Amino acid sequence: MGETPTTLKFEGTPGDDLVLPFRTVRSGAVGRLVRLGTCVDTILSHHDVPEPVAQTLGEAVALTTMLGAALKFEGKMILQTKTDGIVDFLVINFETPGRVRGYVRYDKARFERRNGERLGEGALLGSGHLAITIDQGENMDRYQGIVELSGRTLSECTHAYFQQSEQLDAGVLIAAGRRDDGWRAGGIMVQRLPYSRDLPGRPSEDEYDDLWRTAVTLMSSARAQELLAADLAPEQLRYRLFHQEGVRAYEAQPMTDSCRCSRERVERVLLSLNQDEIEDMKVDGALIVN
């Protein structure tokens, strides 16, 4: 890949179920673009939930995949929300090098009472907390960052997470939607790196601030339909957004859904619950697990 707008070109990378890491040349921001097709469709199809709830889960899968792809060690990242909203519990598990699975729980009665309203992601999630846990494996400490939801979207909470837990600025866009061929999800993010005089053009710190704002503006110009489009290659979208900045591209990372469900695992989970929890899960006197 070239490092200037005039020499940058792209090859025909497969368009779905991957994360494309990149770095802008002028502003020195690092970024990742995720595009999910079969992977997210399989995860969402396991859940018999209304479309707005499934869309929220799809956006969370795209976000966790995009964040987890940055892990430089063998481990996992877990994104979890616990709120007072209609979607009161959501958890996504990403394992290196590229396995993801997710689960969502919602209050069916509350959703049906508000059926017909335009329920956005913030309204579905309500108030509570979003936790991002990084597990580096055995004999290593877990790291967890927690931010308040308070009716905000997952993207907005991610900005807060980076500022509070990582002391970094980041811009994030995510989208999910159902198409004729099933569910699709996508996202793009840029992260600001510490200032360095070694950037092309040797910008001053004030100039670097302007370059960062330009990178965020360019990222924010992406539309949801572009993030989801099966006929727009991720490389083409990345080039469309940042060709004026110049893009240094890195190897694409393939992604796959990775459900660990089995009869034996379900039995172990049920055996770990107390009788009251078992009773709460019964429907018409029976305990059914899908």
Side-chain angles (χ1 to χ4, degrees):
M1 292 287 182
E3 295 185 15
T4 67
T6 57
T7 60
L8 188 146
K9 60 182 180 179
F10 46 81
E11 306 295 337
T13 300
D16 280 346
D17 299 335
L18 51 79
V19 174
L20 295 178
F22 63 90
R23 179 169 179 165
T24 60
V25 175
R26 291 185 66 233
S27 55
V30 295
R32 290 179 292 282
L33 191 156
V34 60
R35 175 75 63 73
L36 302 176
T38 302
C39 173
V40 75
D41 184 62
T42 300
I43 294 171
L44 270 57
S45 296
H46 287 163
H47 295 76
D48 183 17
V49 297
E51 190 161 309
V53 176
Q55 181 174 345
T56 298
L57 176 60
E59 291 176 355
V61 171
L63 174 61
T64 308
T65 300
M66 198 158 49
L67 297 176
L71 296 179
K72 303 300 183 184
F73 50 82
E74 186 173 342
K76 64 180 68 173
M77 173 178 285
I78 303 163
L79 181 147
Q80 180 175 319
T81 66
K82 192 171 184 180
T83 72
D84 61 4
I86 293 174
V87 175
D88 59 350
F89 180 73
L90 182 154
V91 60
I92 312 297
N93 186 296
F94 175 94
E95 295 184 15
T96 57
R99 300 183 298 273
V100 63
R101 61 186 187 273
Y103 170 79
V104 66
R105 184 179 67 195
Y106 80 108
D107 188 322
K108 184 176 181 179
R110 288 177 63 190
F111 180 85
E112 290 178 347
R113 285 197 299 269
R114 299 186 62 177
N115 193 19
E117 295 183 36
R118 189 177 181 84
L119 295 173
E121 181 186 307
L124 285 171
L125 291 172
S127 297
H129 294 87
L130 177 147
I132 295 177
T133 304
I134 297 175
D135 185 346
Q136 303 180 66
E138 295 183 8
N139 305 318
M140 298 291 289
D141 291 335
R142 281 190 171 197
Y143 168 80
Q144 186 175 73
I146 299 176
V147 293
E148 190 175 358
L149 276 168
S150 299
R152 294 184 294 179
T153 66
L154 290 173
S155 294
E156 292 168 336
C157 287
T158 305
H159 299 160
Y161 166 78
F162 276 104
Q163 290 175 344
Q164 296 175 20
S165 301
E166 306 289 340
Q167 286 79 53
L168 292 173
D169 290 326
V172 179
L173 285 178
I174 49 176
R178 188 193 293 274
R179 299 293 185 265
D180 292 340
D181 58 346
W183 281 96
R184 301 182 62 78
I188 187 169
M189 68 179 296
V190 290
Q191 289 176 251
R192 178 174 180 166
L193 296 180
Y195 170 71
S196 171
R197 286 189 175 275
D198 294 330
L199 286 168
R202 299 186 178 275
S204 66
E205 291 193 46
D206 287 341
E207 290 170 333
Y208 183 58
D209 290 340
D210 291 337
L211 291 171
W212 165 246
R213 284 190 286 269
T214 297
V216 173
T217 299
L218 294 172
M219 180 215 70
S220 301
S221 69
R223 301 187 301 274
Q225 55 264 40
E226 292 178 310
L227 296 175
L228 304 179
D231 58 353
L232 175 63
E235 287 184 320
Q236 289 177 300
L237 176 57
R238 181 179 57 191
Y239 178 78
R240 179 183 295 179
L241 295 174
F242 298 108
H243 68 277
Q244 292 181 336
E245 292 286 287
V247 180
R248 180 180 298 162
Y250 300 99
E251 185 177 356
Q253 299 173 244
M255 298 293 147
T256 182
D257 62 284
S258 178
C259 180
R260 289 183 169 183
C261 295
S262 68
R263 185 180 184 88
E264 292 74 19
R265 291 179 66 88
V266 170
E267 288 176 350
R268 288 200 298 270
V269 170
L270 295 178
L271 288 171
S272 71
L273 304 177
N274 61 44
Q275 191 59 39
D276 289 339
E277 290 172 321
I278 293 291
E279 292 300 323
D280 287 342
M281 295 171 65
K282 287 184 177 180
V283 178
D284 297 329
L287 185 59
I288 300 172
V289 179
N290 293 323

